[in-house]
Amino acid sequence: MIVAIDGPSGSGKSSVAREIARRCGLTYLDTGAMYRSVALACLKRGVDPEDADAVADVARGVSISFETADDGSQTVLLDGEDVSAAIRTPEVELAVSPVSANPAVRDVMVSLQRAVGEGGDVIAEGRDIGTVVFPSADVKVFLSASPEARARRRAVQRQGGNLATGDSVAVDEASEQEILADLVRRDTYDSSRETSPLRPAEDAVRIDSSELSFEEVIGAILALSPDLGARAEGDAS
Ligand code: DC
């Protein structure tokens, strides 16, 4: 079975997809980490993220893989090196927008993602999973939340907390506003680019998580498919 979760930055799709993968025995595929890895490879090689041809060459030449530990945590490997933390820096965050808008880069990444899907039993999250990567996915969700709710979650995350698990910490107003501005910038970029803009698939179920708890979002998704619900109950065969 293939589950597609799309949505804007900070909608909670990573935490939700990871938890559903754990409960339902699915392989978790974080496609944003793949675009981030290409952006990091460009920065490491001194390639201008706006230089479309050079960036495409980088995308074709790198090896990106994932390792999942028993506790479900995932390590991202770029040419064999653990880059899980390095792909989350502000520098990569800036470079990843032009990199992910590059059609040649998207071709390479989509092929890699489909290869993972061929093994079956995958939950993939990103921006174009239900529209481009796996248009025949068994379950398609478009997870969104208000920009303010998303900025608050990211701000808490950066301070080491996690609103998904009820682990709240104090955040300062200025950094929350900065995160909000960056989210709005990325939303605009991701939604208005020519190649695979962020938009819900026609047959995706839309869930707004602004007012929902983590468990409520998980429950709403599990309820979309008897197969998924059964797997979560441990009935999967
Ligand atoms: O989900 P994320 O924040 O890790 O994604 C990083 C960037 O990659 C973001 O700017 C959008 C882009 N992206 C994309 O264009 N298509 C995907 N399937 C996943 C991410």
Side-chain angles (χ1 to χ4, degrees):
M1 105 170 303
I2 304 271
V3 180
I5 313 267
D6 289 300
S9 311
S11 56
K13 45 184 203 314
S14 300
S15 315
V16 164
R18 206 175 292 122
E19 180 61 11
I20 293 179
R22 193 189 66 74
R23 290 193 200 177
C24 300
L26 301 171
T27 299
Y28 166 58
L29 179 61
D30 176 357
T31 62
M34 299 173 72
Y35 290 99
R36 287 170 180 268
S37 297
V38 176
L40 177 65
C42 290
L43 296 179
K44 279 174 176 263
R45 288 164 206 205
V47 168
D48 177 357
E50 303 277 354
D51 182 342
D53 291 341
V55 171
D57 282 343
V58 172
R60 290 188 199 104
V62 291
S63 144
I64 301 168
S65 55
F66 297 94
E67 267 176 14
T68 306
D70 289 343
D71 66 356
S73 63
Q74 208 167 54
T75 305
V76 187
L77 301 174
L78 172 64
D79 294 325
E81 185 195 340
D82 180 355
V83 293
S84 314
I87 59 170
R88 308 279 164 200
T89 62
E91 291 76 18
V92 169
E93 217 115 271
L94 266 182
V96 74
S97 290
V99 166
S100 62
N102 183 320
V105 173
R106 300 202 74 86
D107 278 352
V108 177
M109 296 301 118
V110 169
S111 298
L112 291 173
Q113 292 153 16
R114 288 188 180 146
V116 174
E118 269 168 24
D121 289 347
V122 168
I123 181 165
E125 54 113 337
R127 307 292 189 287
D128 60 342
I129 310 301
T131 49
V132 176
V133 183
F134 298 125
S136 332
D138 303 277
V139 178
K140 287 188 194 180
V141 173
F142 191 84
L143 190 61
S144 61
S146 68
E148 292 73 20
R150 293 187 282 130
R152 167 60 53 93
R153 286 180 193 151
R154 274 281 148 97
V156 168
Q157 233 171 30
R158 289 221 178 137
Q159 295 300 315
N162 186 352
L163 288 182
T165 54
D167 186 9
S168 191
V169 292
V171 290
D172 84 274
E173 182 65 26
S175 62
E176 197 175 321
Q177 287 307 317
E178 211 174 288
I179 291 171
L180 177 61
D182 184 56
L183 278 182
V184 171
R185 176 190 69 78
R186 285 210 284 155
D187 282 358
T188 310
Y189 201 110
D190 292 348
S191 315
S192 59
R193 70 182 177 211
E194 245 168 68
T195 316
S196 304
L198 171 67
R199 64 176 173 80
E202 268 172 27
D203 52 350
V205 175
R206 299 172 194 226
I207 299 177
D208 183 328
S209 70
S210 310
E211 305 290 330
L212 298 179
S213 71
F214 182 62
E215 262 320 306
E216 284 170 332
V217 176
I218 302 265
I221 296 175
L222 294 180
L224 294 176
S225 148
D227 186 14
L228 206 53
R231 281 169 173 269
E233 295 294 321
D235 293 343
S237 52

